[in-house]
Every structure is written in structure tokens, then in C-alpha cells.
Amino acid sequence: MRTGRRTHLLWAALFSGLCLITAAAARAQSPPPAASCQPTPTPIAAKPAEPDADAGGIRVFLYDADKKPLARKRFYLLRRSAFSAGIDWASMPRRADFLQGASPQLREWLARHDCDSLYCPEFEAEFPEAVKTVPEFKRAYDDGLRKYRNEKLALKWLAVNFPLRNVRSEYFQRKRAWLERAGQQAGKVVSFMTDEKGRAIFTGFKAGDYYLSNLFPFGEGGPVWDCKVTTLPPNPRQMWAVTYLLSPPAKQTAPSP
Amino acid sequence: MKRRTLTLALLLTAAIAGVVYVSSSVSAGAQRRRATTRRSAPAPRARVDYTNFTHSTPAHRKDSCASCHQSPSDNWAQARERDAAFPDITDYPEHASCLNCHRQQFFRGARPAICTVCHTVVSPRSGARFPFANPAEAFARSEKGRASTSEFAVIFPHDVHQDVMARAPSLDENRVRFVRAAFAQEQPVPSKPNSCSVCHETYVKPGQAAATPAPADANAAAGVPTLPAGLLKTTPTGHASCFNCHWQDGGEKPLSTDCAGCHKLLPQGSPRPELKGKDADTQLAARAGFTDPFIVRKLLRRDSVIFAHEEERHREIDCATCHTRIPALSTLDETTLKVPILSCGAGSSCHIGAKPKRILNEEVDKKLADPNFQCVKCHFNLGREKPPRSHLDATGK
């Protein structure tokens, strides 16, 4: 069923070209490297029966190049290709820019997990330890204890009393705002987070062509995918399963952070 | 002269609002609506019923919520058990918030009617009050609570919070899964940890040790329908799972003082179908032993009352696999709460498929052949109706 070879090559060629251009345009922050997708089965381009017909549903499976599922990752179903929507890639926020005032201990602690805000469960699980070793958390805990006179509460509400808002959630908020704008420009239909098997289901949208993209790289310097999705299940009202193999960027051009 | 007609008109409007309110409070919705039985019918002449508070009154909507509701309440530490207590809104607004406009009603006669909005006894000496709507569990058990539904629906944008709490599956998690797979035969498989269970737990009936999966059988012997255990998931009933991030003193917006940031006033008389139920009805809920009013409400809202979250295979599936509309989920819009029938199996073919014939295909075929056939695999009451478009589409009919 892998007849998508040719398209794959074409994409690869296109994107290596794109990467070359981006490498040339040496900016403070260049656009993320584009990467190709390999759908199985290959979408067959054909017109839907009626232009505004309801599409049944698509179930997409997203795998990385090593065939590992891309679990709990946010993707967008777009009306337009991400790379031709005029998105301002240079204004993408970077985590490193939101660490002003952080102590060395806090920086080290933050580097342990790949989280956009202090609120992710990995961090929360380590709060009890952090109040002992990280000065900012210690302060937040002492503040809480003074206010609520309850150790459990001081720990549970640690983030409320955390002194550095930029570290706590400002990156998350800026990223959210950036994605909102980018999504608008690319004609966002819906966003979704894949489940643990890298799966996502869309239902209740109109038949037509869409693009599937993460819009924002999962890791700094990581790729942005821009996959064409053709909603053409054998029976337009039923669920159609498509697997996407999302390859790494055609040419590794990880910009130095 | 003009002034009098205006006052009259105002009073009339208030009275009509009162009548509308009374009639609308029987209909249903996402939340509870205040509708106490203590209310007396409006007198023939336009009079405001001061025993019955509603947020819809234009004057009550003019100022911020915080102009009446103090956060935190003075009694927050007493309102819950010590370990569960946290600064919260656990009491009625104080007199000062009423007095600006209601001085007259406060000091009318020996037993001013307005006092009974909050007080059990009308007396210049006793401050005894009904339980406040929060904490909701205690309130729901009270007489006032049983007779009332909220005037608000809660706004909780799941997708924003999904990102807030997002995480990449760590190495640990993969390791756990590996270990689990190796000992799958010996150990009961624990539910998958996920960021949803902070706020949604499987409901366990009081007195029942744990949610153990049981076979679904709506039409058990002797016509007494039973529902499988581990059926329902709870939803938050208060601020415990919000204020750890949204507390006014340094937290994220909307702050706890900004009630309207999370509570949206429902239009008066908005349709509330779940009070009578869809797939389940109140009798079924009672027979199945559900008494908790929050949970009964969840049951009545369901399209598929037989579906059990703790069923062995269901519990192994990620929440988002079935709840595909999480990004759009809003309790204000019933359609976003639906779990699409397609997530019951198309693609993974658990319940939908022609070869081998799965249950949905089987029931749809039987129904099309015999209109009297009742679909029982997933439904209780709805199985008697015509199969909806979504079912026909899913099976390619």
C-alpha cells in the first residue's frame, strides 16, 4: 500500500529546498525545519460527492520515524498549509526567554522535565522535594504556610504563591497566544491532543482537503509537519483510518538555541 | 405621573420575571437552579417575592459578583473537615451587600420576608442559616438543596487545561507499562494514570467497596434492570480542583474573586432535558441504587446508560480516544458532550463492523427487520426508538 513514495520524494525535495533557504536567512530565530509525512493508505485525490457534505470521520495514527506513537501531542487540522499561511515564525516564544530571575537551583530543576508550565504532573509530583531544595519553592511554601496554617494546603497551592510568574506560566501563555494567531492564519478547524497510542479521531466536519500540523515544534529546533489530509473514506459517512509516519526534517538543521 | 407608570412597569416586570422564574425552575439543565418550595405564589397585585433570590434580576446583574460574594468566606475553615478545608466561598453574601437597595425590605414588619433567602429563622437575634450552595455535597443533602438547581453552568475549557497539564509520556511510564504487561496475569491492571483523573473519578456508590467490573445487563431476570458497577465518572462539584491554580492571591486568571470567569448565568427557562432523562429515567436511577443527586443528574443526561467506564477493556482505553470532542467540550452545549458512536468501534472494530458482525451492526439489522426489536446492548430506553442517523451511517445503512 506504500504508493506514497513519489509524493514522499517530492515533499522531501521541496522541504530540503525550503530548509536551504531558511538556513540562508540567518535570523535570530529561523522558521522551524519542515518535515514530511508518509500517509498509509495514500489519499486519493477526488472530489467529494457534494461539496459541503459531512465527512464521516478520520482516525489518524501518528508515528515518528522510529514507528513510535506520538503520544499526547497537540496537532491542528487546518484549512491551509502551515508553510504557506504567512505565519510569523520569528515570533515563536522560547522557553529560555522566560527564566529571568530564576535561581540556578530552579533552572536545574526545570531542566528535568519537558514541560511548558509549572503545572504539569511531573513537576507537581516533585513539589514536596522542591520546597526543600529550590529557594523559590521554599519561599512559596513558607508564604502558603503563613497564610493557610496548613502544610498540606501550602503544598497543594504552591504554584499560587510561587514568586516568579514568568517561570510559572508566562511561556505557556505566550505560546498559547502565538498558536491562536497561527491557527487563525492557517484556517484552524480543530485542534486535538493525540492519545497515548498516537491516535486521534475527527468527526463532524465537512468533506474536503485539510492539513495536519503541529504548528509549534515539540522540542526546540524540532520540525513542523505539514501533511495533506484528504477526507475520502471509501464510504464518506464512515470512519477512515490513516496512519502517518512523521519523519524527521529532511535535513537536520537544528538551530542553536 | 410618568414616574408612577415607570415604577409600576418595573414592578410588573419583576413580577413577570418571578412567574417566569417559577415556571422555568421545573425544567432541566446542566446545573441546579434555585427553586425553593418556600416561595408563595405572587399576589394578584404586582408584588416582588422577596423570599426568592434570583441572579437574573437586572439590578443583581449590574455589579460584579464580588460586590455580593465575599471570597474567602469567614467560615471556610469550619465548612469542611480540617484536612479538606481550603479558603473558599462557603457562605451567603453578608447583609451589607443587600442593604444598599433593600433597606426597606430588611426593616419591614416583625418578620421580614427577605431574611428567609438565607436564614432558617427570622429573628433579630438568631443568625442561623440554611447551608450555602457550596460545599455542594452538604447542600445537596439539605432540604433546600434537594429542592433547588443552580442558575449557572460552569465554564471549563478542557483544551486550555490539557495543554496546561500536558506532559510527554516519560520513560518511567513506558517502564511501568512494560512491567504491567509482564505480570498481566497475576495482577489486576490498574487504571491508566492520566491528567483527567485529577478531576474525574469513577463513582463508587456509598457502601460499595470498589468499582468492580460487572456484566452489563439491562434486562436482568424478573424485569428488574441492573446497571453495571463502575458506570459513571464524577465531575467536580466545587473549587477544590480549581483554586490551587486560580486563587485570587497570586493565581492564574480567572481569579477566584471573578466568579463570572467560571460561572455563566443560564438564560431563564433554558431547556433542561436531563431532569426527565433520556436513556435512563428517575425510576431506573432509583432501582439501580443511585441516590447522590449529582450522579443521578449525570445518569439522566446519558445517551448510553449501559456504558461502564470500568469495564475491563474500556478502562484500558485512553479517555481521549472516546471523548474525541474534548477541545470543544462545554456543558452549555449538549452536543459537545456526546461521545460519537464512531468511537465505539469503527476502525478498532470493537462494536462496529460487518465481518465479523459486531453488536451495532447486529442490532441495527434486527431493528430494520423488526421495528419492535429493542436494542439493549448499550441502551435502556432509547433502544425502543428508531435507530438514529449516526447509527445507520456507522454501519453503512
Side-chain angles (χ1 to χ4, degrees):
Chain A
M1 277 289 236
R2 295 265 167 93
T3 35
R5 265 302 259 290
R6 235 176 54 206
T7 6
H8 181 52
L9 280 175
L10 222 124
W11 277 115
L14 220 135
F15 287 129
S16 31
L18 219 143
C19 293
L20 281 177
I21 298 167
T22 58
R27 298 262 313 264
Q29 195 173 359
S30 44
S36 60
C37 346
Q38 194 181 335
T40 334
T42 321
I44 333 140
K47 276 210 182 110
E50 308 143 47
D52 244 11
D54 287 334
I58 323 176
R59 179 196 300 264
V60 295
F61 292 81
L62 301 174
Y63 295 98
D64 66 12
D66 303 332
K67 303 228 164 95
K68 281 213 305 282
L70 280 160
R72 297 206 191 92
K73 295 277 186 279
R74 187 163 293 279
F75 280 88
Y76 295 80
L77 195 65
L78 306 168
R79 274 295 186 183
R80 290 183 280 284
S81 149
F83 281 105
S84 52
I87 292 169
D88 179 11
W89 303 104
S91 65
M92 273 191 303
R94 290 193 306 184
R95 262 190 219 159
D97 296 341
F98 296 86
L99 292 174
Q100 300 97 323
S103 68
Q105 293 95 320
L106 180 59
R107 282 166 196 262
E108 193 201 321
W109 189 84
L110 288 169
R112 285 201 219 165
H113 299 294
D114 181 23
C115 292
D116 285 350
S117 75
L118 273 196
Y119 299 119
C120 73
E122 273 83 358
F123 281 155
E124 290 196 332
E126 292 177 6
F127 279 177
E129 192 208 320
V131 298
K132 298 195 190 107
T133 56
V134 180
E136 284 88 346
F137 282 113
K138 213 169 152 66
R139 219 177 102 195
Y141 182 72
D142 290 343
D143 267 7
L145 207 53
R146 205 177 51 250
K147 286 187 212 161
Y148 324 127
R149 296 166 199 286
N150 177 330
E151 289 164 20
K152 261 178 77 181
L153 200 57
L155 202 58
K156 189 171 180 231
W157 286 23
L158 198 62
V160 165
N161 295 302
F162 190 79
L164 297 173
R165 273 186 211 205
N166 52 320
V167 173
R168 183 176 69 192
S169 52
E170 205 181 309
Y171 169 71
F172 164 81
Q173 281 158 5
R174 291 278 286 279
K175 178 172 163 183
R176 185 182 165 202
W178 187 91
L179 275 166
E180 209 135 292
R181 205 165 45 242
Q184 246 166 31
Q185 285 171 298
K188 172 183 139 181
V189 179
V190 66
S191 81
F192 63 94
M193 197 174 271
T194 53
D195 68 12
E196 58 186 17
K197 298 220 171 77
R199 229 173 359 189
I201 298 176
F202 306 113
T203 52
F205 59 95
K206 301 286 173 205
D209 289 351
Y210 296 90
Y211 289 83
L212 193 66
S213 177
N214 52 335
L215 284 179
F216 201 98
F218 296 137
E220 200 135 308
V224 164
W225 287 283
D226 195 22
C227 321
K228 189 156 183 177
V229 179
T230 313
T231 55
L232 277 177
N235 174 338
R237 294 213 194 86
Q238 284 174 47
M239 188 69 82
W240 195 43
V242 193
T243 300
Y244 286 93
L245 210 59
L246 301 180
S247 66
K251 208 174 191 185
Q252 211 72 49
T253 50
S256 47
Chain B
M1 193 59 196
K2 224 165 156 196
R3 203 55 192 277
R4 254 216 355 241
T5 15
L6 200 90
T7 331
L8 226 124
L10 267 175
L11 279 172
L12 230 127
T13 322
I16 291 171
V19 174
V20 169
Y21 176 71
V22 170
S23 53
S24 67
S25 56
V26 269
S27 52
Q31 302 292 310
R32 300 160 298 287
R33 175 184 293 259
R34 183 108 309 114
T36 54
T37 41
R38 289 168 286 114
R39 152 194 338 114
S40 54
R45 276 196 40 231
R47 267 184 63 197
V48 179
D49 174 11
Y50 285 107
T51 62
N52 186 29
F53 178 88
T54 166
H55 289 87
S56 300
T57 307
H60 292 163
R61 302 177 63 175
K62 211 174 72 221
D63 291 325
S64 76
C65 315
S67 67
C68 292
H69 291 284
Q70 177 192 322
S71 172
S73 307
D74 294 337
N75 71 347
W76 69 261
Q78 292 87 51
R80 292 185 174 91
E81 303 270 320
R82 187 188 142 70
D83 257 7
F86 59 92
D88 194 9
I89 303 100
T90 47
D91 205 346
Y92 291 92
E94 294 189 0
H95 293 174
S97 60
C98 315
L99 278 172
N100 269 344
C101 302
H102 294 295
R103 196 160 285 278
Q104 205 193 347
Q105 288 78 33
F106 258 69
F107 299 109
R108 177 186 295 158
R111 324 197 65 185
I114 199 168
C115 313
T116 61
V117 168
C118 310
H119 290 286
T120 47
V121 199
V122 179
S123 143
R125 274 171 303 277
S126 168
R129 297 184 288 289
F130 295 105
F132 182 57
N134 187 43
E137 288 78 7
F139 181 68
R141 281 193 298 270
S142 72
E143 198 188 329
K144 177 172 173 172
R146 277 199 298 272
S148 74
T149 50
S150 177
E151 294 186 285
F152 296 90
V154 155
I155 311 165
F156 178 75
H158 277 78
D159 59 338
V160 172
H161 292 83
Q162 231 178 354
D163 284 337
V164 167
M165 303 175 197
R167 63 201 175 134
S170 61
L171 286 173
D172 278 359
E173 207 173 319
N174 288 329
R175 211 171 302 136
V176 167
R177 201 171 305 145
F178 173 72
V179 171
R180 217 188 274 149
F183 298 102
Q185 301 314 106
E186 289 114 66
Q187 285 174 358
V189 187
S191 293
K192 291 253 164 72
N194 60 68
S195 57
C196 313
S197 31
V198 184
C199 297
H200 301 290
E201 291 172 325
T202 303
Y203 176 74
V204 180
K205 274 184 245 172
Q208 194 178 309
T212 41
D217 187 359
N219 294 331
V224 182
T226 56
L227 289 173
L231 192 78
L232 289 146
K233 289 278 178 191
T234 60
T235 50
T237 55
H239 300 130
S241 54
C242 310
F243 283 2
N244 55 319
C245 297
H246 290 288
W247 185 242
Q248 60 212 51
D249 187 10
E252 303 285 345
K253 284 181 189 154
L255 298 179
S256 45
T257 39
D258 175 17
C259 319
C262 299
H263 292 273
K264 192 169 184 329
L265 191 61
L266 290 164
Q268 285 201 312
S270 52
R272 289 150 181 269
E274 87 256 23
L275 267 198
K276 75 171 161 45
K278 286 199 284 194
D279 201 22
D281 45 40
T282 43
Q283 290 98 309
L284 175 66
R287 276 195 307 254
F290 289 103
T291 47
D292 182 335
F294 299 102
I295 284 302
V296 171
R297 232 169 261 132
K298 296 289 164 205
L299 199 71
L300 296 185
R301 177 142 90 198
R302 277 209 176 184
D303 282 316
S304 166
V305 75
I306 310 293
F307 171 82
H309 281 96
E310 288 299 318
E311 194 279 331
E312 275 173 64
R313 277 144 302 175
H314 292 160
R315 66 191 296 192
E316 273 296 285
I317 303 171
D318 201 89
C319 315
T321 309
C322 299
H323 292 282
T324 58
R325 311 194 65 189
I326 282 291
L329 200 137
S330 153
T331 43
L332 302 173
D333 179 357
E334 185 113 355
T335 59
T336 65
L337 298 175
K338 271 195 194 286
V339 172
I341 183 89
L342 286 172
S343 61
C344 298
S348 67
S349 69
C350 292
H351 301 306
I352 307 174
K355 263 186 261 150
K357 204 167 192 176
R358 303 292 182 184
I359 190 69
L360 184 70
N361 300 57
E362 196 177 310
E363 285 194 342
V364 166
D365 283 352
K366 283 188 183 154
K367 188 81 175 185
L368 292 178
D370 172 14
N372 290 324
F373 175 77
Q374 188 180 348
C375 305
V376 294
K377 173 69 181 174
C378 308
H379 295 297
F380 183 63
N381 284 330
L382 288 180
R384 285 191 212 104
E385 295 183 17
K386 279 214 292 269
R389 184 81 247 165
S390 63
H391 292 26
L392 298 175
D393 284 350
T395 48
K397 302 289 161 181

